[in-house]
Amino acid sequence: MELTAILFYLFSILTVGAAAVMVFSRNIVHSAFALMFALVGVASLYVLLYADFLAATQLLVYVGGILILILFGVMLTTQGHNLNFKSVSVNLIPASILSVTAAGLLIFAFTTTAWAFIEPVERSETVYELGMLLMGDYILPFIIVGVLLLIAIIGAILMSTRLATTSDTTSSDLTE
Amino acid sequence: MIGIDWYLALSAVLFIIGVIGVLIRRNAIVILMCVELMLNSVNISLIAFASHHGDITGQVLVFFVLAVAAAEAVIGLAIILAIFRNNLSIDITKVNLLRW
């Protein structure tokens, strides 16, 4: 077996195992750290698919940004008592039926389709082509995504700060 | 060389794990993390297709998915903090203000 196959199996086992730990763990902090391992595994799979810029972006945005944000959310909202898995989960039977159906449909779809693919082109770097595409053909979605991020930041600040500018009665009414 | 079907299978498995997490967990933050996992699985299949077709356009799409996922996480956490401030709990079965 060649090296890429071994690496693929290693990283996919790491990713799927970490994802399973994340979903089925009782402790929310364990879930957050399992999410970190899953995201790192996904970034390694990007490297195996010759997407070096996106692997770096995945590490920066997900592991460095979103995961820290989620850990802050955990720390701000934790209750401090450990619950067993029965009490942290709901709807086990309908959820398992629905997800088994969805898994069957997905597996049926990609085993019965004849994928027309070529061998992956070995790229030394993708940054140049990606930058040309982003600044050329996809300049309008790029700008729209930038505006979307700005609106998201403003909305998050508005929602998460207490309304301090209003008078005392209204602010106490709103925060109660 | 690993074929595209293995990447698609991995993507499907990750997506199903995310769906199970969204459906069975009661903690809103874990649900948010499962949504991130589902977005990641879709990104894997997009990059696999882009790489196995020799076309880099799929990676541009993944770039936009990353940006939208960041915005979604920020807004989701702000909503969760607002819910926590009002309910003193992030158990989504207790968020039933609009339930009939």
Side-chain angles (χ1 to χ4, degrees), chain B:
Chain B
M1 198 62 213
I2 297 290
I4 192 173
D5 41 357
W6 282 99
Y7 285 103
L8 290 181
L10 175 70
S11 166
V13 168
L14 276 184
F15 190 83
I16 294 302
I17 290 176
V19 168
I20 293 173
V22 167
L23 288 177
I24 71 171
R25 294 305 295 257
R26 281 166 55 173
N27 193 317
I29 290 184
V30 181
I31 290 178
L32 203 65
M33 297 198 285
C34 291
V35 173
E36 300 294 335
L37 190 70
M38 289 157 74
L39 286 167
N40 265 287
S41 75
V42 174
N43 282 352
I44 286 179
S45 64
L46 273 174
I47 292 189
F49 276 121
S51 169
H52 284 82
H53 283 87
D55 188 358
I56 209 167
T57 314
Q59 298 193 9
V60 179
L61 207 55
V62 173
F63 186 77
F64 293 137
V65 171
L66 273 173
V68 174
E72 172 255 332
V74 167
I75 291 295
L77 276 172
I79 291 175
I80 289 172
L81 284 184
I83 289 174
F84 180 73
R85 200 177 295 150
N86 286 328
N87 281 5
L88 289 182
S89 162
I90 48 171
D91 187 346
I92 51 159
T93 58
K94 294 199 175 71
V95 187
N96 50 7
L97 200 62
L98 291 177
R99 191 179 283 174
W100 191 19

Side-chain angles (χ1 to χ4, degrees), chain A residues 90-98:
Chain A
V90 286
N91 296 333
L92 272 177
I93 294 163
S96 40
I97 292 172
L98 190 66

Side-chain angles (χ1 to χ4, degrees), chain A residues 79-95:
Chain A
Q79 295 296 306
H81 39 73
N82 290 318
L83 304 165
N84 58 1
F85 185 70
K86 258 308 196 244
S87 65
V88 298
S89 60
V90 286
N91 296 333
L92 272 177
I93 294 163

Side-chain angles (χ1 to χ4, degrees), chain A:
Chain A
M1 199 158 34
E2 51 184 318
L3 185 62
T4 50
I6 296 171
L7 284 178
F8 172 78
Y9 292 129
L10 191 70
F11 288 131
S12 45
I13 287 170
L14 169 77
T15 309
V16 172
V21 168
M22 183 194 90
V23 169
F24 296 111
S25 166
R26 295 169 195 174
N27 191 330
I28 184 170
V29 181
H30 293 176
S31 294
F33 278 97
L35 179 67
M36 180 182 80
F37 284 107
L39 294 175
V40 171
V42 171
S44 334
L45 290 171
Y46 289 177
V47 175
L48 283 183
L49 285 167
Y50 304 110
D52 55 344
F53 174 70
L54 284 173
T57 314
Q58 166 97 0
L59 282 182
L60 283 177
V61 172
Y62 270 108
V63 185
I66 293 179
L67 196 71
I68 301 298
L69 211 61
I70 285 175
L71 278 175
F72 267 105
V74 170
M75 284 188 271
L76 285 173
T77 59
T78 188
Q79 295 296 306
H81 39 73
N82 290 318
L83 304 165
N84 58 1
F85 185 70
K86 258 308 196 244
S87 65
V88 298
S89 60
V90 286
N91 296 333
L92 272 177
I93 294 163
S96 40
I97 292 172
L98 190 66
S99 44
V100 164
T101 314
L105 278 175
L106 280 175
I107 289 169
F108 175 76
F110 67 68
T111 50
T112 54
T113 309
W115 301 108
F117 69 90
I118 61 172
E119 282 289 305
V121 190
E122 286 199 26
R123 301 173 189 273
S124 58
E125 44 103 22
T126 58
V127 181
Y128 177 77
E129 293 172 73
L130 214 53
M132 292 310 273
L133 273 176
L134 273 179
M135 286 297 139
D137 289 349
Y138 294 92
I139 183 73
L140 184 62
F142 189 71
I143 293 172
I144 291 175
V145 157
V147 175
L148 176 77
L149 280 175
L150 179 68
I151 294 171
I153 291 168
I154 295 173
I157 292 171
L158 270 182
M159 269 193 289
S160 56
T161 48
R162 291 172 189 273
L163 301 170
T165 53
T166 52
S167 66
D168 281 337
T169 54
T170 37
S171 69
S172 64
D173 282 344
L174 284 171
T175 49
E176 271 308 308

